[in-house]
Amino acid sequence: MHSSAALDAKTAPCLLVINAGSSSIKFSLLAGIGQATLNAFAHGKIEDIGSAPHFFADDCDGRRLAERRWERPTSHEDLLDHLIAWVEAHLGPNRLAGAGHRVAHGGLFRTAPQLITPIVLAHLRTLIPLAPLHQLHNLAPIEALAARHPGLPQVACYDTAFHATNPKISRLYGLPRALTDAGLWRFGFHGLSYEYIAGELPKLEPKARLGRAIVAHLGSGASMCGLVGGKSVASTMGFSALDGLPMGTRCGALDPGVVLYLLKEKGMSGAALETLLYQQSGLLGVSTISSDMRTLLASRDTRAQEAIDLFVYRAAREIGSLAAACGGLDALVFTAGIGEHAPQIRARICQQSSWLGIDLDVDANLAGAPRISTAASPVSVWVIPTNEELMVARHTFALAINRPPERPMCLSTKESK
């Protein structure tokens, strides 16, 4: 963060970036005179939505700008109103030039960030069943901002878009063609994170620009992506954000026969299945203790250890699968909460993947160095912090600030109803 950010906020266009979920709403305010100069000068979060919400905003130096707590559950609508009111008061009503949103699902045809119009918003609503844990909440701040600032350009940045480069064969399921034609494809998610890493890795490893890399986005939501020449060729997530690795509370890859069994033999409803697979499974379900890897690593409970073992086993197994899809492996990148901050997990995954040519530098890994493989390792291994908010800001600047006059610039809630 540069000290000029405060000046930028007064003289340059300001952008609001929102990443809204079911239990938290993250936000950043950025300013700059170009995509390359964008800097966050304020950021914050509304956390613990659904229980006792907590709002806070900090400046670039970590100083607390504002804070509020609610003692009981409060609606998303009221919380968004509080956030937007704070942004208006902090910036002034005429200084916000655009808003960018992380949107989980863009479907088959929305393969790049785009300005939000009533038609775009209506289509994104139809995708809510494909990402029930995310999409509805992603769209709520778009509508809240449109109600208060109908002339404000807003940009949707899709987590599925980066995977549009996947070969068609990698996106197919073995289902009847009519269902495939109806949209039952592998989509892949966490695309904004992978897009950021694809841009950062060549700065550290120039050969990676044309090489074969696997990026492990390991957090409460976890997935992996295979890159060739910086383009996505395969992902562990598929039609939904349930597939692939076991996550904090999500199951990961699951035999569809299990779902049939739960429906037919256990009499579970669709709503109960959704809750089970999205909110009660993964690390939480296996351990019965916590969805937080930090808590599990600190526990001596055998169930916690088994949850960790499963996570590591599945990660190493997916690395082998993605290496096959890439035709080999030149670099492995760890990112997101677990990937960036859990050296024990990185070490165990690398150990189980050593057959690919990974030689871990133990000291570098413990120190959290950018490169955590030895100089002689055939496959280089890296830890690169991701920055999805910056990717959203860059796309928003390009579309909202550098907008050709003929492009639609406003989303009116009256038009969208």
Side-chain angles (χ1 to χ4, degrees), residues 53 82 91 109 116 154 220 243 305 322 344 375 397:
H82 180 82
L91 282 179
F109 306 111
I116 303 169
Q154 299 195 63
S220 58
D243 201 4
Q305 295 307 309
L322 290 171
Q344 310 99 306
F397 188 95

Side-chain angles (χ1 to χ4, degrees), residues 212 214 226 228 233-234 317-329 355-356:
R212 302 157 298 182
I214 293 172
V228 176
V233 298
R317 186 166 162 176
E318 292 291 354
I319 286 173
S321 173
L322 290 171
C326 292
L329 185 61
W355 62 276
L356 281 165

Side-chain angles (χ1 to χ4, degrees), residues 133 219-221 245-252 274-297 299 301-311 338:
L133 201 65
S220 58
L245 304 174
M247 301 167 231
T249 62
R250 281 174 264 169
C251 60
E274 183 174 288
T275 299
L276 173 71
L277 301 180
Y278 275 101
Q279 300 176 24
Q280 298 174 343
S281 299
L283 296 176
L284 174 63
V286 176
S287 72
T288 74
I289 296 170
S290 176
S291 63
D292 193 316
M293 182 62 79
R294 292 167 297 186
T295 301
L296 299 181
L297 287 168
S299 173
D301 192 300
T302 57
R303 296 168 298 176
Q305 295 307 309
E306 193 165 55
I308 296 170
D309 291 345
L310 176 62
F311 184 85
I338 298 171

Side-chain angles (χ1 to χ4, degrees), residues 161-177:
F162 186 69
H163 303 293
T165 54
N166 285 189
K168 180 180 178 181
I169 198 66
S170 74
R171 306 187 73 183
L172 292 176
Y173 286 111
L175 292 171
R177 188 164 293 275

Side-chain angles (χ1 to χ4, degrees), residues 108-109 168 176-185:
L108 281 174
F109 306 111
K168 180 180 178 181
R177 188 164 293 275
L179 291 175
T180 301
D181 293 342
L184 270 67
W185 293 73

Side-chain angles (χ1 to χ4, degrees), residues 22-23 47-53 72-74 76 79:
S22 59
S23 61
E47 58 188 7
D48 298 326
I49 298 174
S51 55
R72 58 182 61 89
T74 305
H76 269 72
L79 294 173

Side-chain angles (χ1 to χ4, degrees), residues 56-344:
F56 63 89
D58 298 335
D59 68 12
C60 59
D61 296 316
R63 291 186 293 263
R64 186 60 39 102
L65 298 171
E67 187 170 17
R68 180 179 174 182
R69 296 179 184 272
W70 291 261
E71 295 182 357
R72 58 182 61 89
T74 305
S75 71
H76 269 72
E77 183 178 10
D78 288 344
L79 294 173
L80 283 168
D81 282 345
H82 180 82
L83 169 58
I84 295 169
W86 180 84
V87 170
E88 291 168 346
H90 188 67
L91 282 179
N94 300 315
R95 294 162 59 192
L96 191 63
H101 304 266
R102 178 185 179 189
V103 177
H105 219 302
L108 281 174
F109 306 111
R110 302 194 183 280
T111 58
Q114 61 184 158
L115 279 164
I116 303 169
T117 67
I119 292 174
V120 170
L121 183 58
H123 177 250
L124 296 180
R125 288 195 192 104
T126 69
L127 301 176
I128 289 172
L130 305 188
L133 201 65
H134 302 87
Q135 193 86 349
L136 180 66
H137 300 292
N138 296 160
L139 303 183
I142 297 172
E143 295 174 320
L145 275 168
R148 296 177 66 143
H149 298 279
L152 181 71
Q154 299 195 63
V155 174
C157 300
Y158 306 114
D159 247 357
T160 52
F162 186 69
H163 303 293
T165 54
N166 285 189
K168 180 180 178 181
I169 198 66
S170 74
R171 306 187 73 183
L172 292 176
Y173 286 111
L175 292 171
R177 188 164 293 275
L179 291 175
T180 301
D181 293 342
L184 270 67
W185 293 73
R186 293 185 65 89
F187 290 99
F189 295 86
H190 290 138
L192 291 164
S193 176
Y194 295 130
E195 183 182 7
Y196 179 81
I197 298 300
E200 293 298 303
L201 179 58
K203 298 176 184 178
L204 298 170
E205 178 64 276
K207 292 185 294 184
R209 188 177 299 279
L210 300 176
R212 302 157 298 182
I214 293 172
V215 183
H217 178 106
L218 306 181
S220 58
S223 71
M224 292 183 174
C225 176
L227 306 176
V228 176
K231 306 289 186 183
S232 173
V233 298
S235 172
T236 59
M237 284 183 172
F239 176 75
S240 75
L242 283 173
D243 201 4
L245 304 174
M247 301 167 231
T249 62
R250 281 174 264 169
C251 60
L254 186 70
D255 183 341
V258 173
V259 176
L260 293 175
Y261 175 82
L262 294 173
L263 283 169
K264 296 170 65 176
E265 302 300 326
K266 296 298 183 181
M268 293 187 73
S269 66
L273 271 173
E274 183 174 288
T275 299
L276 173 71
L277 301 180
Y278 275 101
Q279 300 176 24
Q280 298 174 343
S281 299
L283 296 176
L284 174 63
V286 176
S287 72
T288 74
I289 296 170
S290 176
S291 63
D292 193 316
M293 182 62 79
R294 292 167 297 186
T295 301
L296 299 181
L297 287 168
S299 173
R300 294 185 178 182
D301 192 300
T302 57
R303 296 168 298 176
Q305 295 307 309
E306 193 165 55
I308 296 170
D309 291 345
L310 176 62
F311 184 85
V312 170
Y313 168 78
R314 287 295 309 169
R317 186 166 162 176
E318 292 291 354
I319 286 173
S321 173
L322 290 171
C326 292
L329 185 61
D330 300 307
L332 172 63
V333 180
F334 290 97
T335 194
I338 298 171
E340 294 172 25
H341 303 296
Q344 310 99 306

